[in-house]
Amino acid sequence: MTAQRPLTVSSAPAGLAGRIRVPGDKSISHRALMFAALAEGRTHISGLLEGEDVLRTAEAMRALGAKVVQKDGRWIVDGCGVNGLQEPADVLDMGNSGTAARLLSGVLATHPFMSIMTGDASLRGRPMGRVSVPLSKTGARFVTRAGHKLPMAVEGTGKGKPLHYCLPVASAQVKSAILLAGLNCEGETVVEEPAPTRDHTENMLRHFGTEVKVEELPEAGRRITLKGPARLVAQDVLVPGDPSSAAFPVVAALLVPGSEIVVEAVGQNPLRTGLFKTLKEMGASLELRDERTEGGEVIGDLHVRAGRLKAVDVPAVRVPSMIDEYPVLAVACAFAEGTSRLRGLAELRVKESDRLASTVALLEANGAKVHVEGDDLIIEGQTSLPGGGKVQTHMDHRLAMSATVLGLAAERPVHIDDTAFIETSFPGFVSLMNTLGAGLKP
């Protein structure tokens, strides 16, 4: 059990300033380790996020037979090849990472051995049925606690049936789990998604030499087709800065008067940059410079300057491209001129916490005017927020960071019950913010 780290955040003594680089993209880091373990040969990974979530994935791949070592700032993975993983000797503990647990479910479903996954208290409360139910149609057998919750036993199949699955809700995790299962199935695995979700899995499959067909569907969705069994060949990977992590210093710099910062080498995959698009619609001084391509992913430097924001109406279709950024966007909306409506947030109810309810509580505790209509979040912006509230984070790292951003811009200090779980996705968050002049004192 991680010891709690309460934090009281006061308004920044002066504007935030400086150049920083946020940790590597979490989604790409998980995938880089898994794909490298499934590849034939040696993969070198640079820029890997070394937060607890990703380290759990590294340990899981070791337990499944891959050789994974860190050396001279890089990670080296000697893969086993598709269908080459071995039965783990112990339970696979995925910590706080829903991404790792769900993606790995796809890998385990079509390998012919028994495995068991668990996680921390937060992850054990999150639903796994969205992957275990469709994956069981490959021939694998899943045994879970009531409500499809971890711990979960997986009896994999060595001759998996390829799936043709239409996602009921757009989800990159479910899509990826099914594609990963399809690597070890005979025939075509097809996933249809109602709206485009982050496509790091498709990009990385291509990077490791596997053909993936992506077709646009008539009503805005996509069909992804993978032919198995597939062969992955080791390729070096450079992980870009995580746009979900960049969101916090970016919004803080927009809200704290006098701020001007640069966040370097941030991933600009168009299926991940919904927040940046939304902030620009709000009138944010946010400029992308030095755009370039590294390892199949577009990156660039974000130049941010403080200024007044205006309210925004965010369509539900944008949810997949910014699913993790809604709490900090809600903070930005609380300081914006006018009333904002963030639509279609049902997916937030099944994140690390019920993020929709927790975001409302975070804002209300600090004087914001906010309410929920169906799955929409309505926020009445104010020129300033009184702050002074106590925030319950429910072991949710993004809520803790969002509360920190609010505290830097509020009139009175904001008290956060626990910031320990920030390390799962953004190691060194407090010290990095302090290099910009945040003045945080754990």
Side-chain angles (χ1 to χ4, degrees), residues 290-307:
D290 193 17
E291 191 171 350
R292 60 238 190 234
T293 301
E294 296 280 1
E297 295 280 350
V298 177
I299 65 174
D301 301 337
L302 295 174
H303 289 240
V304 190
R305 186 179 293 111

Side-chain angles (χ1 to χ4, degrees), residues 216-387:
E216 301 294 330
L217 296 176
E219 298 182 0
R222 288 182 174 180
R223 178 187 295 114
I224 302 97
T225 304
L226 167 72
K227 188 174 182 180
R231 178 172 178 256
L232 305 183
V233 180
Q235 300 289 333
D236 289 351
V237 177
L238 174 61
V239 180
D242 195 328
S244 295
S245 295
F248 301 100
V250 164
V251 173
L254 291 172
L255 298 182
V256 176
S259 296
E260 185 170 359
I261 70 169
V262 177
V263 188
E264 300 175 342
V266 179
Q268 296 298 311
N269 186 307
L271 297 174
R272 293 288 306 282
T273 53
L275 174 72
F276 304 143
K277 180 177 181 177
T278 302
L279 290 173
K280 287 181 180 179
E281 291 173 356
M282 297 174 73
S285 177
L286 176 59
E287 183 182 355
L288 178 66
R289 299 181 187 174
D290 193 17
E291 191 171 350
R292 60 238 190 234
T293 301
E294 296 280 1
E297 295 280 350
V298 177
I299 65 174
D301 301 337
L302 295 174
H303 289 240
V304 190
R305 186 179 293 111
R308 292 297 302 164
L309 300 176
K310 60 184 180 182
V312 68
D313 189 323
V314 185
V317 70
R318 200 172 292 175
V319 170
S321 69
M322 53 187 293
I323 186 63
D324 289 326
E325 287 81 74
Y326 276 98
V328 76
L329 173 62
V331 170
C333 291
F335 287 90
E337 180 181 348
T339 299
S340 296
R341 179 181 285 264
L342 314 184
R343 300 179 183 270
L345 305 187
E347 182 72 6
L348 291 188
R349 300 183 192 276
V350 292
K351 299 299 285 182
E352 280 82 342
S353 62
D354 179 342
R355 274 196 186 148
L356 187 53
S358 298
T359 299
V360 170
L362 158 65
L363 294 177
E364 287 184 335
N366 289 285
K369 300 176 182 178
V370 56
H371 66 279
V372 175
E373 292 182 3
D375 292 326
D376 295 355
L377 182 60
I378 317 298
I379 304 166
E380 298 179 35
Q382 303 174 61
T383 55
S384 63
L385 285 185

Side-chain angles (χ1 to χ4, degrees), residues 41-123:
R42 173 170 289 184
T43 294
H44 295 85
I45 306 172
S46 302
L48 189 84
L49 170 64
E50 295 182 3
E52 184 180 342
D53 279 5
V54 175
L55 297 180
R56 295 282 187 171
T57 296
E59 189 57 39
M61 303 326 291
R62 288 190 190 101
L64 291 165
K67 182 179 179 182
V68 183
V69 298
Q70 183 189 30
K71 185 177 181 181
D72 299 328
R74 294 193 299 173
W75 287 74
I76 303 169
V77 182
D78 291 318
C80 303
V82 174
N83 201 34
L85 300 181
Q86 66 184 27
E87 184 171 276
D90 205 345
V91 173
L92 302 173
D93 187 344
M94 310 316 297
N96 189 245
S97 181
T99 299
R102 292 186 177 121
L103 267 61
L104 193 56
S105 296
V107 174
L108 298 174
T110 53
H111 277 78
F113 51 71
M114 170 67 75
S115 55
I116 299 173
M117 276 196 293
T118 190
D120 66 12
S122 173
L123 186 56

